[in-house]
Amino acid sequence: MSDDLRNLRNIGIMAHIDAGKTTVTERVLFYTGRTYKIGETHDGTAVMDYMEDEQARGITITSAATKCKWKNCDMNLIDTPGHVDFTAEVERSLRVLDGAVACFDASEGVQAQSETVWRQGRKYGVPCLCFINKMDKTGADYLMSVESIAEKLDANPIMMQLPIGAEDNFRGIIDLMTMEATFYQEQKQGAKAVAGEIPEELKDVAEIMRHDMIEKIVEHCEELMELFLEDKEIPVEKLKAVLRREVVEGNLNPVFFGSALKDKGVRLLLDGIVDYLPSPLDRQLSSGMDPKDEETEIPLECDPSKPLVALAFKVAHDKHGDLYFIRIYQGTLVSGTRLLNSTRDSKENVTRIFEMHANDRQILKEAKAGDIVACVGLKDTLTGDTLCDTKHPVLLDAISFPEPVISMSIEPKTSAERAKLGEALGSLRREDPTFVTRYDEETGQTIISGMGELHLDILQNRIVRDMKVDVRVGTPKVAYKECITKKVEQESRFVRQTGGRGQFGHVIITVEPILNSDGNVSNDIEFESKIVGGSIPREYWNSVEKGCRTALTSGALAGYPVVGVRIELLDGSFHAVDSSEMAFEQAGAMAIREAMLKASPKLLEPVMKLQVVVPETNFGVVQGSLISKRGLVTNTRVSGQMRVIDAKAPLSELFGYTSELRGSTQGRGSFSMEPLDYEQVPEAVAKKILHS
């Protein structure tokens, strides 16, 4: 472990599914000496894809952490999933990382999920390098890929290299900073990198591109701009220093090229990570909050000698007890320490600390500011909780996650399994913030909800295989919501008279819909009191709001949650003896239930953003199929021999679409989707849903 925090990199590898993230990570582990045999995703031997489902399906499901060393730098490396169903894994990883490498398929450029993970990275201000992978693939086009990064991601890519050849002829890379060429000679294990002269036919192109690269860098430094305008040679170290500063600030995104599968370009990418991505000192949190007064800021410093502040960003179920992944922002964590969970105001014990390598671990006595480690012994901690010194309470911003869009019923096959199922669901809930369970009192069933069919399928596999619980599951169902479409005023009284003290609450409210700027229903619920003159005392306003919000959890049409409602408390009355918080809570709930019936309630459904890639010959059939699913095609473009279709469609119409698409394209079509918004269900479709 390097004591110099400047030589530490906390980085993630992120990308669209199948862009080669895990393959890049496997090569990094091999070249840094962390592994001695290269694992492959496609044959289930990748170190970082250690779960049984990951090996069987050839995809990354859970973000895996490891530690390795390149040159003088220690690296904490997290390989994240690309499938949208596991977007929470990307979200919580990016929350604690200092930098990221975004991988792109050289023949596809920016794809749908690339946009999602880039947006997640930007949300947390994570500096990013770009790696154009699969330069040896048919249709590889480095200029198209770089242009798509600039256009679709609104990024500022800066080419650090020029590929030598493409597709079957991809044989090397020119470093535009040093103007040195590296050629790759394929061999049995890895590819041998050999220095050589820049090919004659590429010398002029390389000079032009180097000039463009330098121009982009010197725009950010007056001193270098003067040298550039005077046509003087600028030292490489000065160019690198300015570039690094601009990468850390999020202004530039260096682009590297290669083919991870053929072991080309990964070592140069590692050099780029060391040279340009930030250390914990460059990305330290400036402050936390006082748990008792969140308006008060508490300054933080990435200093091992200060009081401990850390964020738990992941909980993993383990046969020896739950494993908690934490990022330490300040102070030193020593095993056997008692900590404060300031999010839940509870005390926790850290019994052991581990350095992780996928599912292997090495015991540590302590971990310091800047580190990402795992520990055991915690009991109440969940994803996004702050852990800190018991004498110096600090609260960090929690991690926000998207809401589930799909649900299905689950029940044990025998009554003896019921308790085991409850424990299994509890364990999975602790692990996965996008997995939600609830008990349906009408049907007596447990309902589980998640981010997609694959998400729920894998969770079901884990319940049966890992947790040894036999279960029956229902067919997946869409997580509908309800909204109102007109403004309504409602007066309600809650009056109960039993012997002795009674109950009295009287409210007059209005409810009206809230729309987003795009005209769709907002996801918010707003409450405001317009009471003047004390017709309802201030101490009862919160009770009215609580009653209103509780009633909105179950709508008038089919009991789905209601969103996009603004409530105003206009007037009412109270009784000096009989009024109570409970009475006004009930009055508020009654008012909402009655108002909902009058406010023309409508059903909302989740609509997904799709990107479908099909052979040109199948375009017409696939487009027709999407339209038949109430889909709307927003854009189409040609990419090599394939047609890329951007569209949106209701989630309810997309169950089983993977099989249908494969069938209509002879297995050559693929698609990805992510939640886009909630939209009103057409009247005819809503009638079918409500009467089914």
Side-chain angles (χ1 to χ4, degrees), residues 44-105:
T45 58
V47 174
M48 302 299 271
D49 285 351
Y50 58 86
M51 285 172 61
E52 204 171 305
D53 277 313
E54 292 179 314
Q55 292 167 356
R57 296 168 192 259
I59 61 169
T60 301
I61 291 167
T62 181
S63 50
T66 189
K67 191 150 197 168
C68 54
K69 194 177 182 76
W70 182 252
K71 295 190 173 173
N72 63 333
C73 268
D74 287 317
M75 291 185 195
N76 285 311
L77 181 66
I78 295 182
D79 172 32
T80 64
H83 200 288
V84 68
D85 282 19
F86 311 107
T87 187
E89 290 288 337
V90 185
E91 185 85 19
R92 58 183 168 193
S93 298
L94 288 171
R95 170 69 173 79
V96 298
L97 291 171
D98 297 323
V101 176
C103 291
F104 302 91
D105 183 318

Side-chain angles (χ1 to χ4, degrees), residues 372-501:
I372 292 175
V373 292
C375 59
V376 293
L378 308 179
K379 293 284 184 277
D380 300 325
T381 298
L382 295 175
T383 299
D385 286 1
T386 305
L387 298 167
C388 58
D389 189 297
T390 53
K391 293 176 184 173
H392 300 87
V394 178
L395 188 63
L396 301 176
D397 285 333
I399 310 171
S400 57
F401 295 102
E403 287 185 38
V405 293
I406 186 171
S407 52
M408 65 186 185
S409 62
I410 187 167
E411 54 190 357
K413 285 188 177 174
T414 66
S415 56
E417 302 270 272
R418 192 168 298 280
K420 281 173 68 181
L421 175 61
E423 285 178 22
L425 294 177
S427 181
L428 291 174
R429 262 200 324 268
R430 285 170 63 75
E431 254 188 68
D432 187 345
T434 58
F435 175 60
V436 177
T437 66
R438 67 180 175 86
Y439 182 70
D440 189 328
E441 291 184 358
E442 287 184 22
T443 63
Q445 290 178 314
T446 298
I447 309 297
I448 60 174
S449 305
M451 297 307 296
E453 285 181 279
L454 179 61
H455 187 202
L456 291 185
D457 187 32
I458 283 166
L459 290 171
Q460 180 193 338
N461 282 354
R462 290 192 59 196
I463 290 168
V464 174
R465 186 190 62 234
D466 300 346
M467 300 171 181
K468 307 289 189 288
V469 186
D470 276 339
V471 293
R472 277 192 298 267
V473 296
T475 52
K477 292 183 179 176
V478 173
Y480 292 104
K481 292 182 181 179
E482 296 181 26
C483 69
I484 58 173
T485 54
K486 68 179 186 182
K487 185 174 181 177
V488 168
E489 184 176 303
Q490 180 64 44
E491 180 175 6
S492 290
R493 279 183 174 81
F494 179 75
V495 183
R496 292 287 182 275
Q497 199 63 50
T498 54
R501 183 179 170 181

Side-chain angles (χ1 to χ4, degrees), residues 113-131:
Q113 194 61 13
S114 318
E115 295 180 49
T116 305
V117 295
W118 191 272
R119 199 164 54 242
Q120 286 173 300
R122 188 165 274 182
K123 174 180 168 183
Y124 295 114
V126 177
C128 205
L129 304 188
C130 303
F131 182 63

Side-chain angles (χ1 to χ4, degrees), residues 195-221:
E197 289 290 314
I198 295 174
E200 198 63 41
E201 69 274 14
L202 289 177
K203 280 185 177 176
D204 289 346
V205 178
E207 285 292 346
I208 292 167
M209 291 204 158
R210 184 173 198 268
H211 181 275
D212 292 346
M213 177 197 75
I214 293 172
E215 189 172 19
K216 267 196 167 184
I217 295 171
V218 300
E219 280 175 5
H220 301 275
C221 178

Side-chain angles (χ1 to χ4, degrees), residues 451-577:
M451 297 307 296
E453 285 181 279
L454 179 61
H455 187 202
L456 291 185
D457 187 32
I458 283 166
L459 290 171
Q460 180 193 338
N461 282 354
R462 290 192 59 196
I463 290 168
V464 174
R465 186 190 62 234
D466 300 346
M467 300 171 181
K468 307 289 189 288
V469 186
D470 276 339
V471 293
R472 277 192 298 267
V473 296
T475 52
K477 292 183 179 176
V478 173
Y480 292 104
K481 292 182 181 179
E482 296 181 26
C483 69
I484 58 173
T485 54
K486 68 179 186 182
K487 185 174 181 177
V488 168
E489 184 176 303
Q490 180 64 44
E491 180 175 6
S492 290
R493 279 183 174 81
F494 179 75
V495 183
R496 292 287 182 275
Q497 199 63 50
T498 54
R501 183 179 170 181
Q503 295 286 350
F504 180 86
H506 169 220
V507 299
I508 300 172
I509 65 167
T510 59
V511 295
E512 62 181 309
I514 312 175
L515 301 180
N516 291 328
S517 55
D518 57 7
N520 287 332
V521 176
S522 164
N523 213 26
D524 297 331
I525 294 170
E526 296 176 3
F527 180 92
E528 186 181 355
S529 174
K530 297 278 183 141
I531 298 284
V532 287
S535 56
I536 299 176
R538 185 177 288 272
E539 64 259 31
Y540 296 136
W541 296 358
N542 285 344
S543 301
V544 177
E545 180 178 359
K546 184 180 176 185
C548 291
R549 288 183 181 274
T550 302
L552 289 172
T553 59
S554 179
L557 290 174
Y560 295 113
V562 185
V563 294
V565 180
R566 176 175 169 77
I567 307 158
E568 287 187 356
L569 175 59
L570 300 180
D571 204 355
S573 61
F574 75 105
H575 188 281
V577 176

